[in-house]
């Protein structure tokens, strides 16, 4: 089993910055793609950014130029640096990981419990 634990959320004023972290625990696997998603009240969960094991990144148009996703493969940890935050970035942020189980050559999909980001205008 893989556990994903997010941290770093909080309350920040518009224009401010936050850095989210997502740490994966467990053994017997490697993590392929990792991603950040968010869900605002009354809205569907949406993709924020993804990063492959090799470091290729992709971003939602709404966060391009403001957010930066990164990862440390040795620590099985992913980060999201969020700058120039806006009120519309307010949401619960979730970590996602696509894991390859080495023993079974099978992939599985895991989610963290979420961390709240609130941006006051």
């Amino acid at each position: 089993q893989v556990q994903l634990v997010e941290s770093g959320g909080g309350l920040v004023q518009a224009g401010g910055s936050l850095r989210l972290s997502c740490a994966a625990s467990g053994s017997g696997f490697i993590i392929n793609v990792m991603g950040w998603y968010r869900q605002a009240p009354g809205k569907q969960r949406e993709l924020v950014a993804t990063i492959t094991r090799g470091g290729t990144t992709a971003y939602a148009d709404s966060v391009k130029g403001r957010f930066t996703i990164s990862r440390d493969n040795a620590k099985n940890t992913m980060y999201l640096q969020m700058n120039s935050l806006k009120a519309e970035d307010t949401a619960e942020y979730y970590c996602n990981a696509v894991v390859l189980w080495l023993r079974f050559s099978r992939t599985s999909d895991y989610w963290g419990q979420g961390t709240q980001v609130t941006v006051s205008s």
Side-chain angles (χ1 to χ4, degrees):
Q1 187 74 341
V2 175
Q3 284 195 321
L4 301 176
V5 179
E6 299 104 331
S7 61
L11 173 64
V12 65
Q13 288 189 332
S17 299
L18 282 175
R19 189 190 193 212
L20 305 183
S21 298
C22 170
S25 62
S27 61
F29 61 87
I30 58 173
I31 303 176
N32 289 333
V33 180
M34 299 188 79
W36 289 98
Y37 292 74
R38 66 186 182 187
Q39 187 167 18
K43 294 187 177 181
Q44 289 189 330
R45 188 173 296 188
E46 63 175 3
L47 172 69
V48 176
T50 60
I51 184 168
T52 67
R53 186 168 183 82
T56 300
T57 60
Y59 296 90
D61 287 342
S62 59
V63 306
K64 280 181 182 176
R66 300 188 298 122
F67 291 9
T68 302
I69 189 171
S70 61
R71 64 188 283 178
D72 184 333
N73 291 331
K75 295 181 179 179
N76 278 340
T77 301
M78 174 179 64
Y79 307 95
L80 185 68
Q81 178 66 43
M82 304 186 294
N83 298 328
S84 302
L85 282 161
K86 305 176 181 179
E88 50 263 44
D89 294 318
T90 295
E92 188 83 7
Y93 282 70
Y94 296 91
C95 167
N96 174 264
V98 177
V99 163
L100 172 65
W101 291 100
L102 299 175
R103 180 178 179 184
F104 305 106
S105 296
R106 184 183 69 205
T107 59
S108 300
D109 192 33
Y110 294 91
W111 291 89
Q113 81 289 350
T115 184
Q116 177 67 36
V117 170
T118 303
V119 183
S120 62
S121 56

